[in-house]
């Protein structure tokens, strides 16, 4: 099979690593990719939003399957664009339709979807500029803290958790009247705060059947013990000890089944991944959010645990044949540590030479690239805030964490940083 993978992060390097290890992958292209993907596949200089360019590439290179990593092209309708065109209509596309992607593209839509389908989530109300007075009144009727969410995509930054009514009112005004998150905050969801521990659950679905992938816990803050600014993600572990069999049964019955049933009932063409952000509130699962793709860095922890053929999994999603796929998961554990440029998530430098990348991936650990670029001399330079993610594998979490740090400790460049406490809270 000739495959085109869209995206350029650590998630896509992890996808690419699994794909090229499958006997079903003849040729893998990654658009636009990074220095990691270029070492195992062919990078293509195409923007993730250039649908016409992607279509021409598919036709010129006889692509059989397109796998979409990030949310942006999904929310913009890449699936509809490709499947609706007679020239590319026969290509398997992994990623939901634009309407399905609204589960991530609009928080208001996803809250309504959950309400319609009886899926447990925090109580809420949505407001626009026109209804701001009602919104301010609604805030006063809530318990503190109060959660405000920009309706649209805001690169993971559109959520404010506010400890006082005054701050919440000011936040709502900034979002609705001063475009705090641009057009994404033209509508704002005001919701109840859920207190508990978070876990991410990943589901592959072809719109009819589903398979549950290993769950993960991610670490979002820049500082150890979850302090400091929010980031795109500083690490992840899988499995998550508190997400035991009893908890996951509740997740399947109360959340996964009604979600997939809801997609069917509402005729949302959904062939792809659903990433469900959950809060475990005293043993009961509540949905915080849906994402319509795999997470980064959770993918780097989840995918190395999948034992069965990954290209088969993707193709059976894209061709609605998931009921015939046997998902096999490895017994052990993984831990992912993200190595970032010093200063991230604030200002940081790019173009620093990375040392210590000579170790090949082995049974103990993998290095996945994100913000990297190779120069003409073959050196790998930093090219973003989150630069590398290192995944350790082991028989248990303790061993996986040790393997991840063994490799992370070998990597250096001027001013690099990583958290030393990934997974410590769940050991
Ligand atoms: P989201 O962009 O929806 O994932 O929100 C970002 C983060 O905000 C989540 O990972 C949670 O840590 C937190 N969060 C969002 N909604 C809630 C809520 N209703 N209660 C508590 N924390 C929340």
């Amino acid at each position: 099979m000739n495959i085109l993978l869209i995206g350029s992060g650590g998630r896509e390097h992890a996808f690419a690593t699994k794909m090229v290890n499958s006997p079903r992958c003849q040729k893998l292209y990654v658009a636009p990719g990074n220095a990691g993907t270029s070492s195992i596949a062919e990078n293509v200089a195409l923007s993730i939003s250039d649908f016409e360019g992607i279509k021409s590439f598919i036709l010129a290179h006889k692509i059989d399957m397109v796998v979409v990593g990030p949310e942006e092209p999904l929310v913009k309708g890449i699936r509809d664009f490709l499947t609706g065109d007679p020239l590319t209509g026969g290509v398997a596309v992994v990623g939901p339709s634009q309407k399905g992607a609204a589960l991530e593209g609009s928080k208001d839509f996803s809250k309504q979807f959950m309400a319609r389908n009886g899926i447990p989530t925090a109580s809420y109300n949505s407001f626009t500029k026109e209804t701001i007075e009602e919104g301010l009144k609604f805030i006063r009727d809530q318990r503190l803290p109060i959660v405000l969410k920009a309706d649209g995509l805001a690169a993971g930054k559109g959520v404010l958790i506010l400890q006082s009514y005054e701050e919440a009112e000011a936040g709502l005004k900034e979002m609705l009247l001063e475009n705090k998150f641009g057009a994404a905050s033209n509508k704002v969801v005001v919701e109840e705060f859920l207190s508990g521990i978070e876990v991410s659950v990943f589901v592959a679905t072809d719109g009819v059947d589903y398979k549950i992938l290993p769950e993960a816990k991610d670490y979002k803050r820049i500082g150890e013990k979850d302090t400091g600014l929010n980031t795109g993600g500083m690490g992840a572990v899988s499995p998550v000890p508190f997400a035991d069999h009893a908890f996951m049964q509740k997740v399947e019955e109360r959340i996964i089944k009604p979600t997939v049933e809801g997609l069917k009932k509402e005729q949302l063409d959904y062939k792809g991944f659903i990433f469900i952000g959950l809060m475990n509130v005293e043993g009961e699962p509540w949905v915080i959010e849906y994402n319509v793709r795999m997470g980064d860095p959770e993918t780097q922890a989840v995918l190395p645990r999948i034992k069965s053929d990954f290209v088969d999994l993707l193709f059976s999603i894209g061709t609605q044949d998931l009921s015939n796929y046997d998902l096999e998961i490895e017994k052990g554990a993984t831990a992912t540590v993200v190595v970032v440029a010093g200063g991230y998530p604030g200002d940081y430098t790019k173009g620093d030479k990375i040392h210590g990348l000579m170790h090949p991936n082995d049974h103990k650990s993998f290095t996945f690239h994100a913000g990297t670029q190779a120069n003409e001399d073959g050196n790998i330079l930093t090219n973003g805030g989150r630069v590398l993610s290192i995944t350790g594998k082991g028989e248990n979490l303790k061993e996986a964490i040790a393997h991840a740090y063994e490799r992370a400790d070998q990597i250096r460049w001027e001013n690099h940083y990583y958290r030393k406490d990934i997974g410590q809270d769940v050991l």
Side-chain angles (χ1 to χ4, degrees), residues 327-353:
L327 177 68
E328 276 181 88
I329 303 298
E330 289 189 7
K331 284 227 160 41
T334 49
T336 299
V337 175
V338 177
V339 190
V340 304
Y344 171 84
D347 292 338
Y348 54 84
T349 56
K350 288 184 183 179
D352 293 310
K353 187 173 162 190

Side-chain angles (χ1 to χ4, degrees), residues 112-119 254 258-259 261-263 265-266:
Q112 290 187 35
F113 176 88
M114 287 186 260
R116 282 195 296 271
N117 292 287
I119 295 162
R254 298 178 197 171
T259 297
E261 278 308 310
L263 295 174
K265 221 174 354 184
E266 302 190 12

